[in-house]
Amino acid sequence: MTIIHTLLATLPLLAAAVAASNQGHHGGLPKDLVAPHIQAHPYAPGNFRPAVPRREHGHGKVCTIKSHNGDAGPHIVAAARKCNHGGTVYFPPGVYEIATAVDLTFLQDIDFAIHGTISFLQDAKYWETQTFKYDYQGAKLFWRFGGKNVNIYGNDKGVIDGNGPYWWGQMANDSTTQRPIMFGTDGLHHATISGLTMRNPPNWFNLIANSSDILISDLSLQVDPQPKETPAKNTDGWDTYRSSNIVIQNSVIINTDDCVSFKPNSTSVIVQNLSCTGSHGISVGSLGQYIGEVDRVEDVYVYNITMANAGNFARIKRWGMGTVHNVTYDHLYSNSNDEVITLTQCYYAVNQTMCDRYPASLEISDVTFKNIWGTTTKKYDPRVGSLVCSSPDVCHDIHATNIHLEPPSGNTATYTCVNLADSELDINCV
Ligand SMILES: *[C@@H]1O[C@H](CO)[C@@H](O)[C@H](O)[C@H]1NC(C)=O
Ligand SMILES: *[C@@H]1O[C@H](CO)[C@@H](O)[C@H](O)[C@H]1NC(C)=O
Ligand SMILES: *[C@@H]1O[C@H](CO)[C@@H](O)[C@H](O)[C@H]1NC(C)=O
Ligand SMILES: *[C@@H]1O[C@H](CO)[C@@H](O)[C@H](O)[C@H]1NC(C)=O
Ligand SMILES: *[C@@H]1O[C@H](CO)[C@@H](O)[C@H](O)[C@H]1NC(C)=O
Ligand SMILES: *[C@@H]1O[C@H](CO)[C@@H](O)[C@H](O)[C@H]1NC(C)=O
Ligand SMILES: *[C@@H]1O[C@H](CO)[C@@H](O)[C@H](O)[C@H]1NC(C)=O
C-alpha cells in the first residue's frame, strides 16, 4: 500500500508533462484505452440497449486531461465538449481534483477512459453553494452525467475517491453538513459504467436518476473501516430513481448502508452477481415518502448475490402511497446476516397497533423470494425473516420457496408472517 501511495504521489508531475503534447490528438487509442466489451449476463431486461464500444478501430479524437495541481473541473468540461460526438476523454494515470461542479449532461457518443484517480476538493462549506441540488432526498452532486451513448470505464485502473473520512469527520461535528453523492447520472440513456474502483464516498456512492439502458459492471466499491467517533454514513452502493432498464452486475461492495436500493419509479432493473459485505442489503424503498406522490417499483430481478455481515439481505421497506409489483430475489447466499427476508409495509409505524390503525395505501404483489441458502447471526435467532403487511387487501401473491437458512442456535428458522393473502409460503411462519 505504502509503495503504491508514494508512486501515485509522484505521478501527477509525470502525467502533466506527457499530457501537454497530447491534447486534442487525433488517431488511434492505445489498445488498453478502448471501452471493454461487457454484456448483461445472465439476465437482461427486454430490449436492453446500453452503449456499444464504438472506437475500437482507432477512430475519433482523444482529449487528454492534464493532471494539474489545480481544479480539473473546467478541463473536464472543455475536453468533453471537444471530444463529444465520437471521441474519448482520457485521464492518464495521475491525480485529478475536481473543485468546481462538473455538468456533463450534454453528452452524445463519447467515451471516458479514466486511468487516474479523481477526487473532490475537501471543503464542505464551499461545496454547499456549488453542487447540483435535487429535491429528492436532498440529493447533491459534485458532477453529473447525462446524454446518449456514453461509455465510462476505468479498465481496472481508474479510481474515484470521495475522501469520505473528511466528510464523516465534518458530520461528527455538525450533523447538518451537506454531503454530496459521489457519482450521479441525470438523464443518461444508453451507457455503460465499468472497471472502476470507487472509494469512501461522502454520502451514497451512485445515484442513477432519470436514466435508461445503463449497464454497470465490474466495479469495486469500498468503504474503509472508520473510527467509532466518525463512522461512515449513508454509503449506499447504488440508488436507482425514475429509471428503467438498468443492470448492475459483477461487482464487489464493502459498505455500511444499502448495497443497492430501488427508489421511486425504478422499473426493469436487474442486479446480478454481486458480493456485498457489511451493508443493509438490497432494498426496495422507501417509497411514498412525499405526500401525494405515487411511487412504483416494478419488474426487478435480483439474482446470484452473496451477502455477508449485513443487517438485512432482501428487504422491502415502505410507507405512503405506491405499488411494488413483480420483484424477485433468486439465488441468494447469506453469510452471517441478521435478517435475510424482510418485508415491512409499516417502516415508520412504531408498532403493529399503529400500523393496523394507519394502513399504508399501497399495493405489494407478485413478490418472490426463492433459492436462498446460508447462515444468520444471533441477533434474532431463530427468526431469519419477517413478512409483515398492513392488510391482506394490499398485500398479495407473496412467494417464499426453497429457502434453507441456519440460525446459529441450530433451531429451526422462523419467520414472522402477518396479513399475507394468496401467498405461497414454504417457510415456518410463527
Ligand atoms: C471538530 O470540532 C472540534 C472542536 O471544535 C475540533 O477540535 C476538531 O478538529 C473538529 N473536527 C473536525 C473533523 O472538524
Ligand atoms: C429528473 O427529472 C425531473 C423532471 O425533469 C427533474 O425535476 C429532476 O431534477 C431530475 N433529476 C433528479 C435527480 O430528480
Ligand atoms: C462475478 O463477478 C466477479 C467480480 O465480482 C467476476 O470476477 C466474475 O467473473 C463474475 N461471474 C460471472 C459469471 O460473470
Ligand atoms: C454467481 O456469482 C459467482 C460469484 O459471485 C460466480 O462465480 C458464479 O459464476 C455466478 N453464477 C452465475 C450463474 O452467474
Ligand atoms: C412515478 O410514476 C407515476 C406514474 O406511473 C407518476 O405519477 C409519479 O409522479 C412518478 N413519481 C416520481 C417520483 O417520478
Ligand atoms: C417481471 O420482471 C422481470 C425482470 O424485469 C421480467 O423479465 C419479467 O418479464 C416480468 N414479468 C412480468 C409478468 O411482467
Ligand atoms: C403502539 O404505539 C402507540 C403510539 O406510540 C402506543 O400508544 C401504543 O400503546 C403502542 N401499542 C403497543 C401494543 O405497544
Side-chain angles (χ1 to χ4, degrees):
M1 273 323 235
T2 320
I3 295 169
I4 292 170
H5 281 147
T6 316
L7 196 63
L8 273 180
T10 63
L11 277 171
L13 294 169
L14 288 175
V18 175
S21 61
N22 221 11
Q23 192 80 26
H25 158 83
H26 292 247
L29 275 171
K31 193 131 190 82
D32 70 343
L33 270 195
V34 298
H37 260 301
I38 46 171
Q39 282 188 327
H41 177 82
Y43 295 115
N47 195 26
F48 184 52
R49 289 181 301 125
V52 285
R54 292 171 306 276
R55 278 159 291 281
E56 302 209 315
H57 307 296
H59 303 305
K61 266 187 213 165
V62 179
C63 297
T64 303
I65 309 285
K66 291 183 211 170
S67 172
H68 291 265
N69 289 323
D71 179 9
H75 300 281
I76 296 172
V77 176
R81 290 208 181 281
K82 194 164 172 181
C83 268
N84 213 12
H85 305 290
T88 299
V89 174
Y90 172 43
F91 297 74
V95 176
Y96 305 84
E97 185 180 74
I98 292 177
T100 44
V102 172
D103 195 352
L104 299 172
T105 48
F106 55 81
L107 305 175
Q108 171 87 56
D109 298 304
I110 183 168
D111 283 4
F112 291 81
I114 302 171
H115 288 188
T117 296
I118 295 176
S119 66
F120 309 90
L121 181 68
Q122 294 183 43
D123 188 338
K125 268 270 156 307
Y126 167 79
W127 282 110
E128 262 180 31
T129 58
Q130 302 296 310
T131 52
F132 303 111
K133 296 183 174 59
Y134 296 97
D135 291 340
Y136 182 68
Q137 296 211 345
K140 293 163 195 71
L141 293 171
F142 294 119
W143 59 340
R144 60 182 179 191
F145 289 82
K148 269 196 180 130
N149 275 319
V150 180
N151 295 292
I152 302 164
Y153 50 93
N155 302 106
D156 297 326
K157 297 175 190 155
V159 177
I160 301 172
D161 188 339
N163 290 309
Y166 162 76
W167 296 89
W168 305 321
Q170 295 292 310
M171 174 89 178
N173 268 5
D174 175 2
S175 62
T176 66
T177 303
Q178 298 186 3
R179 290 166 299 131
I181 295 165
M182 195 167 75
F183 186 93
T185 72
D186 186 8
L188 184 64
H189 306 280
H190 310 293
T192 67
I193 301 167
S194 69
L196 288 160
T197 295
M198 296 184 170
R199 189 181 287 154
N200 296 329
N203 201 315
W204 298 348
F205 277 95
N206 296 281
L207 169 64
I208 305 299
N210 294 329
S211 297
S212 67
D213 293 281
I214 311 283
L215 173 55
I216 297 167
S217 193
D218 301 277
L219 299 200
S220 168
L221 273 50
Q222 306 163 9
V223 171
D224 296 331
Q226 296 302 310
K228 259 210 200 69
E229 315 76 61
T230 52
K233 289 276 192 187
N234 311 101
T235 58
D236 290 11
W238 291 270
D239 283 68
T240 59
Y241 176 62
R242 292 178 142 163
S243 293
S244 62
N245 277 23
I246 309 296
V247 176
I248 300 172
Q249 66 177 19
N250 300 359
S251 296
V252 177
I253 300 92
I254 300 169
N255 70 346
T256 61
D257 208 315
D258 290 342
C259 189
V260 183
S261 184
F262 310 106
K263 294 291 202 276
N265 294 13
S266 296
T267 57
S268 296
V269 183
I270 290 171
V271 173
Q272 55 196 352
N273 186 24
L274 300 188
S275 159
C276 308
T277 302
S279 76
H280 292 175
I282 298 190
S283 306
V284 174
S286 300
L287 306 177
Q289 179 180 5
Y290 298 99
I291 307 291
E293 205 173 85
V294 179
D295 294 331
R296 297 185 307 140
V297 171
E298 286 176 13
D299 302 332
V300 170
Y301 209 95
V302 177
Y303 177 73
N304 193 20
I305 310 293
T306 301
M307 178 81 55
N309 310 329
N312 298 82
F313 193 155
R315 178 158 66 151
I316 301 181
K317 56 178 180 182
R318 44 165 320 143
W319 70 87
M321 309 224 298
T323 54
V324 173
H325 178 69
N326 185 25
V327 173
T328 300
Y329 288 90
D330 178 16
H331 276 79
L332 308 184
Y333 305 92
S334 172
N335 183 355
S336 285
N337 302 298
D338 295 337
E339 191 168 79
V340 177
I341 296 176
T342 309
L343 188 160
T344 47
Q345 266 188 316
C346 301
Y347 187 58
Y348 264 151
V350 286
N351 56 37
Q352 192 62 39
T353 317
M354 295 306 281
C355 181
D356 292 342
R357 191 170 307 162
Y358 304 104
S361 40
L362 46 85
E363 189 166 321
I364 297 185
S365 59
D366 290 311
V367 172
T368 301
F369 303 95
K370 65 180 183 188
N371 307 318
I372 302 177
W373 299 270
T375 60
T376 56
T377 65
K378 284 195 297 214
K379 187 157 184 186
Y380 307 115
D381 189 335
R383 194 178 89 212
V384 299
S386 49
L387 298 146
V388 177
C389 289
S390 66
S391 119
D393 304 342
V394 292
C395 204
H396 53 90
D397 296 288
I398 314 295
H399 310 267
T401 58
N402 197 27
I403 300 178
H404 306 276
L405 290 165
E406 294 166 17
S409 63
N411 294 330
T412 306
T414 65
Y415 298 77
T416 306
C417 307
V418 179
N419 285 337
L420 303 151
D422 302 326
S423 293
E424 178 197 9
L425 301 174
D426 181 15
I427 52 179
N428 180 26
C429 290
V430 295

